[in-house]
Amino acid sequence: MRYAVLGTGTAGRTLAAALSSLGHEVVIGTRDPETTLARTEPDAMGNAPFAQWAVNHPLIRLQTFGDAAAHGERILNATAGAASLSALEAAGARQLNGKILLDVANPLDFTHGMPPTLDPVNTDSLGERIQRTFPGARVVKTLNTMNSAVMTEPARVPGEHHVFVSGDDADAKAAAVELLVAFGWPRDGVIDLGDISTARGPEMLLPMWLRLWGALGHTDFNFHIQGARARG
Amino acid sequence: MRYAVLGTGTAGRTLAAALSSLGHEVVIGTRDPETTLARTEPDAMGNAPFAQWAVNHPLIRLQTFGDAAAHGERILNATAGAASLSALEAAGARQLNGKILLDVANPLDFTHGMPPTLDPVNTDSLGERIQRTFPGARVVKTLNTMNSAVMTEPARVPGEHHVFVSGDDADAKAAAVELLVAFGWPRDGVIDLGDISTARGPEMLLPMWLRLWGALGHTDFNFHIQGARARG
């Protein structure tokens, strides 16, 4: 299948590489490919320059948000949450219409200092905002509650743990679950929270995730909902 | 030890009963004991009238917030989050000075409809607000991330799962951990998140908890942080 992964950061690279390994045709979308490829320094998060990563992933092309979205039968939003709406607008509503749009972003707000807060939060979520702004897209919020390495390699965290899906479109959620299973998630490790408004729950896990990172000193952990299985 | 449990709802009753079972002298605090005892109908959450509960717990007295706080060497805030500051003001700052104040409340805001949102949230938390308002109290945020039955009977949820502590006072947190262990929590089931500002993390789990309740259809679940143990 043809996938567009929007965003050239760690999450975008990790998801693109995993999709490519599964045999999908992947294009990564960025605002200005020339600028992205011209960078020679690590980014603010310490990621190696994209061009360096690209050398090791020759099957994955880099295009504009619009060209990537046009290519993709499915879209993954892995941009920084504060830039996601702008990136999706650059991709173009017409290129999103009718397509499954997996939103893995978190609306982290660094304007209040560290650790970041969220915006939107509490009475709204990024997932809902994307669905409202692009009503033709079939938005599924998922995978935003863990380090990106865990997204596509859940066995990095030994033992049972969970990934969540939220969305208004049942078929889109079912397709998202199939992709999660292809990434290595056990089917009963996926919890369907309900419609896209339930994205507020997993997005609001981020402040806890950040503090657990601080307390534990590593990122190879994930939320497990003990007692989630149907009781006998 | 002498405990004051502020709040006559499910959480307050459950914590008071558990403390009493452990041999502590427990007084429950309420705004107006006569009014609380005069109620003959279940409350908004469906709890049986307090007077009915009290018959089965003759060792536990009901007093005003102020008298209860004066009695307690330790204070548990189990009031509704929106009423917590007012309840603690009624208890009196002088009665809280130097005492460990365990805050298990969640600042649920029902003014936006169901499910409730949080206030404060994101850039503040109830735990921090209580600590700021009563700087002489030694506030520990804990136990707010689960159904009250699980607080004092963690084995209701089979398997490993976690409880969190946040607070500025290391000795107060150590005392809180001892109480959690007395309630049945394994020592390595307690995660110390850091100072009181980290209370934002566990308070912001509530929107997820509420949606998990909706998705799972029961409340005998809890958050487990898979991968939290030190890596070998």
Side-chain angles (χ1 to χ4, degrees), chain A residues 54-105:
Chain A
V55 168
N56 298 316
H57 298 85
L59 292 176
I60 301 173
R61 283 172 294 154
L62 182 71
Q63 298 184 342
T64 63
F65 286 131
D67 288 346
H71 159 86
E73 297 166 273
R74 289 184 183 166
I75 318 288
L76 268 78
N77 174 40
T79 60
S84 290
L85 281 178
S86 156
L88 290 164
E89 275 155 19
R94 278 180 50 204
Q95 308 293 1
L96 306 177
N97 261 348
K99 294 181 183 173
I100 293 172
L101 168 50
L102 301 173
D103 173 32
V104 310

Side-chain angles (χ1 to χ4, degrees), chain B residues 166-212:
Chain B
S166 302
D168 293 341
D169 184 315
D171 292 338
K173 279 196 288 195
V177 172
E178 293 312 314
L179 181 59
L180 294 169
V181 169
F183 283 160
W185 289 90
R187 205 169 285 277
D188 66 0
V190 186
I191 295 180
D192 183 345
L193 294 171
D195 67 27
I196 193 64
S197 78
T198 64
R200 291 178 207 179
E203 289 187 13
M204 289 174 78
L205 290 187
L206 258 285
M208 187 63 169
W209 190 92
L210 291 163
R211 280 152 185 99
L212 285 166

Side-chain angles (χ1 to χ4, degrees), chain B:
Chain B
M1 189 168 289
R2 297 192 308 277
Y3 274 90
V5 175
L6 309 185
T8 59
T10 307
R13 295 179 195 185
T14 304
L15 290 162
L19 289 165
S20 183
S21 294
L22 291 170
H24 297 297
E25 295 172 54
V26 183
V27 172
I28 295 186
T30 190
R31 190 163 299 276
D32 179 351
E34 281 188 33
T35 303
T36 299
L37 290 169
R39 287 193 193 110
T40 56
E41 299 294 321
D43 69 13
M45 305 298 282
N47 300 309
F50 186 86
Q52 190 174 315
W53 181 87
V55 169
N56 298 316
H57 298 85
L59 292 176
I60 301 174
R61 283 172 294 154
L62 182 70
Q63 298 184 340
T64 63
F65 286 131
D67 289 346
H71 159 86
E73 298 166 271
R74 290 185 183 165
I75 317 289
L76 268 78
N77 173 40
T79 60
S84 291
L85 282 178
S86 157
L88 290 164
E89 276 155 19
R94 278 179 51 204
Q95 309 292 1
L96 306 177
N97 261 348
K99 294 181 183 174
I100 293 172
L101 169 49
L102 301 173
D103 173 33
V104 311
N106 282 300
L108 298 179
D109 176 0
F110 294 87
T111 64
H112 297 279
M114 295 296 286
T117 55
L118 295 173
D119 179 23
V121 67
N122 199 33
T123 56
D124 199 2
S125 63
L126 179 62
E128 288 164 273
R129 197 168 274 189
I130 290 172
Q131 184 62 82
R132 281 199 309 275
T133 308
F134 303 98
R138 303 158 70 194
V139 178
V140 180
K141 185 92 205 185
T142 190
L143 285 172
N144 69 300
T145 54
M146 66 201 72
N147 189 35
S148 54
V150 179
M151 294 180 183
T152 58
E153 193 190 345
R156 282 181 72 95
V157 179
E160 293 180 274
H161 46 100
H162 284 110
V163 58
F164 310 100
V165 292
S166 302
D168 293 341
D169 184 315
D171 292 338
K173 279 196 288 195
V177 172
E178 293 312 314
L179 181 59
L180 294 169
V181 169
F183 283 160
W185 289 90
R187 205 169 285 277
D188 66 0
V190 186
I191 295 180
D192 183 345
L193 294 171
D195 67 27
I196 193 64
S197 78
T198 64
R200 291 178 207 179
E203 289 187 13
M204 289 174 78
L205 290 187
L206 258 285
M208 187 63 169
W209 190 92
L210 291 163
R211 280 152 185 99
L212 285 166
W213 180 17
L216 302 176
H218 67 88
T219 57
D220 280 336
F221 65 87
N222 192 22
F223 293 99
H224 175 58
I225 309 305
Q226 197 65 273
R229 291 209 183 158
R231 292 172 300 175

